Amino acid sequence: MSCLTARTGRQRQRYEDNMRLVSGCIPYRWKKGKVDKNEDTKEMIEVLMVSSPKRDDLVFPKGGWEDDETVTEAACREALEEAGVKGIVREIPLGRWEFRSKSSMDSCSQKGWCRGYMFSLEVTQELEAWAEQKDHNRQWVNIEEAFRLSRYEWMSKALEVFLIVMAEDRKLKNEENNVDSSSMSVLDVSTKCYKRTTSTQHHSISSRTNILSHSSQEIAIHLGY
């Protein structure tokens, strides 16, 4: 698939319970931040948002999940088409949310509902040109700004889960780095990897204060919050 060609139409669109199935992602990157009192450089996380056609807001890349692709393939395709980025997708979703499409926000009809799955995507490549560049500008923002720009509740909730996942991944990575690799068994490694891929089930935490209370202060600083 060419990076300058986007899918159009809804001939292959998936539906479930009369809802259009949507897949998207929160693209992110780690960026060198300020130097602390020990003169150590801190890493801060940024997320990528894209502008909406004919609307004054920023959203995360997302779109219809079609019947010839997996849900993660759809998320990666939307990131490529709308934001011009490629990366490593985390296969376990951040969660599932139901919301109205932007075009039916003011309608009282049951039509226009979407069921969306969101994933985290670590960006490894940014293209200079992409399929929907004329409709979507991209912008890197820190976490605090991303919350401020999130116009819809489902976006804020996806960000909340995303923060937890990133904090746990960073904590796990630090723990792994502190273990002598020569004494680590293959079983230990596989167990840690398994825990990492299943650490996204945290839908009950609903506030940013609670999120940060579940992470160490150092992790919160790393996240740039």
Side-chain angles (χ1 to χ4, degrees):
M1 179 180 66
S2 169
C3 66
L4 296 179
T5 302
R7 290 192 175 196
T8 58
R10 296 189 178 179
Q11 294 84 356
R12 307 192 70 95
Q13 173 65 53
R14 293 176 187 255
Y15 291 89
E16 184 178 79
D17 300 330
N18 295 320
M19 295 185 183
R20 181 183 179 221
L21 296 187
V22 170
S23 183
C25 63
I26 299 180
Y28 71 94
R29 69 181 180 186
W30 290 96
K31 183 179 180 181
K32 296 297 183 182
K34 297 179 180 179
V35 177
D36 63 14
K37 61 182 179 181
N38 296 323
E39 296 187 355
D40 293 327
T41 302
K42 296 293 186 181
E43 284 189 311
M44 298 178 64
I45 199 166
E46 292 183 326
V47 297
L48 187 64
M49 304 182 78
V50 295
S51 60
S52 300
K54 301 179 182 179
R55 295 182 69 93
D56 186 23
D57 61 0
L58 293 176
V59 296
F60 298 118
K62 72 179 190 314
W65 173 16
E66 303 192 348
D67 61 13
D68 64 340
E69 60 188 354
T70 66
V71 65
T72 52
E73 287 173 343
C76 292
R77 174 177 56 78
E78 291 296 335
L80 180 62
E81 292 178 356
E82 293 190 356
V85 294
K86 298 180 180 181
I88 302 170
V89 66
R90 188 189 184 101
E91 293 188 352
I92 297 178
L94 298 171
R96 186 187 76 181
W97 290 271
E98 295 177 359
F99 51 87
R100 279 189 178 276
S101 64
K102 292 189 291 289
S103 60
S104 63
M105 281 291 185
D106 299 325
S107 173
C108 295
S109 170
Q110 291 186 351
K111 294 182 179 180
W113 278 95
C114 299
R115 177 171 290 161
Y117 298 82
M118 293 296 291
F119 299 83
S120 59
L121 180 94
E122 183 175 7
V123 174
T124 57
Q125 182 180 1
E126 290 185 59
L127 305 181
E128 294 184 0
W130 58 97
E132 300 182 14
Q133 189 171 4
K134 292 183 178 179
D135 295 325
H136 300 285
N137 295 319
R138 63 190 180 195
Q139 181 176 338
W140 286 102
V141 298
N142 61 37
I143 294 297
E144 186 173 6
E145 188 174 7
F147 272 111
R148 182 181 63 81
L149 292 170
S150 293
R151 178 173 178 175
Y152 309 107
E153 182 180 5
W154 71 265
M155 291 176 57
S156 294
K157 292 189 176 297
L159 266 175
E160 290 171 0
V161 182
F162 171 79
L163 274 180
I164 297 171
V165 171
M166 292 297 102
E168 291 186 348
D169 275 1
R170 178 50 63 97
K171 182 178 180 181
L172 182 58
K173 182 178 179 180
N174 289 340
E175 290 175 352
E176 290 175 344
N177 290 339
N178 290 333
V179 176
D180 183 0
S181 60
S182 63
S183 63
M184 183 184 294
S185 67
V186 174
L187 179 60
D188 289 334
V189 175
S190 63
T191 300
K192 285 182 179 294
C193 290
Y194 178 75
K195 288 182 179 178
R196 175 178 293 182
T197 58
T198 57
S199 62
T200 57
Q201 307 304 319
H202 296 276
H203 306 292
S204 61
I205 300 177
S206 60
S207 72
R208 277 165 269 173
T209 301
N210 286 338
I211 290 170
L212 295 181
S213 69
H214 281 69
S215 308
S216 68
Q217 184 176 4
E218 180 180 0
I219 292 295
I221 293 173
H222 277 310
L223 290 172
Y225 184 81

